[in-house]
Amino acid sequence: MKTSTNLLLFLFFILFQSQVSGQAFKLEELAGFNRLDMASFKTEIKEQHKYTFYDKTESPAFVLFEYDSPGYIYKIGKFDYTDDKSQDNIEFQFKDKKEHDAYIKAILAAGYKQTEKGKILTGENYVDYLKDKAQIRMVHPKTAKDNYTIIVFK
């Protein structure tokens, strides 16, 4: 009986872990979202990844659609700029420092080089990474309550 209980607990934790880790995205997936038009992105994120609509922001310069992951652990948004399509980007937010470190490791392993550090308008620190013409920005949270953000530009 104890063996079957342990086996069930083991299977539960494996399934739970795969559900949680399955909600984050690889760098290639984030870059792939940039190649989609907004309608395709919305369909993909809702149907394939089970994210739910969070918010829509419109300005004369861009449209932003944001979605929450199941369990509200992650948030992803797609910026679609009106005039300069090269500014289109995917913004992915998460809380875990281990995930941040894993993204940095993946960025460097993919051949990106750190190029610039600074602060965004709201005061968070960022680090830019470039590879050829591809750009990724890692934004660090101001406080422990805030999210890490990875921005993958087109």
Side-chain angles (χ1 to χ4, degrees):
M1 181 70 176
K2 186 172 180 156
T3 304
S4 63
T5 303
N6 287 341
L7 180 61
L8 287 173
L9 280 172
F10 178 73
L11 289 174
F12 170 77
F13 285 116
I14 287 176
L15 289 173
F16 178 76
Q17 181 61 30
S18 67
Q19 281 285 48
V20 171
S21 64
Q23 295 169 2
F25 299 103
K26 295 179 181 176
L27 289 176
E28 300 82 23
E29 289 175 297
L30 294 172
F33 291 143
N34 265 334
R35 292 188 289 274
L36 299 175
D37 62 29
M38 188 62 83
S40 299
F41 169 75
K42 293 189 303 189
T43 300
E44 170 82 13
I45 205 70
K46 289 188 288 189
E47 292 179 8
Q48 298 298 318
H49 300 286
K50 307 298 183 215
Y51 277 56
T52 55
F53 178 77
Y54 173 77
D55 196 16
K56 176 183 178 184
T57 305
E58 289 185 86
S59 80
F62 67 85
V63 175
L64 164 65
F65 279 88
E66 295 177 285
Y67 293 85
D68 276 325
S69 71
Y72 308 101
I73 298 168
Y74 303 104
K75 187 184 294 179
I76 189 167
K78 180 171 176 64
F79 283 84
D80 191 12
Y81 281 81
T82 330
D83 294 331
D84 186 0
K85 300 310 258 170
S86 69
Q87 290 186 35
D88 288 0
N89 67 74
I90 296 295
E91 186 174 284
F92 183 61
Q93 297 179 9
F94 54 95
K95 289 216 174 274
D96 191 39
K97 172 80 165 103
K98 289 179 187 175
E99 284 182 290
H100 167 269
D101 295 345
Y103 274 119
I104 296 297
K105 190 174 184 178
I107 289 168
L108 296 173
Y112 285 82
K113 304 290 183 215
Q114 182 178 321
T115 58
E116 184 179 338
K117 292 181 178 184
K119 286 190 183 276
I120 62 173
L121 292 174
T122 53
E124 292 94 336
N125 292 318
Y126 73 84
V127 179
D128 280 346
Y129 298 87
L130 291 176
K131 176 183 172 185
D132 301 322
K133 293 183 180 185
Q135 178 185 359
I136 297 175
R137 175 171 287 173
M138 292 299 296
V139 181
H140 300 269
K142 270 196 218 180
T143 70
K145 292 180 186 177
D146 297 325
N147 292 323
Y148 289 94
T149 303
I150 182 170
I151 303 171
V152 179
F153 292 91
K154 215 171 204 180

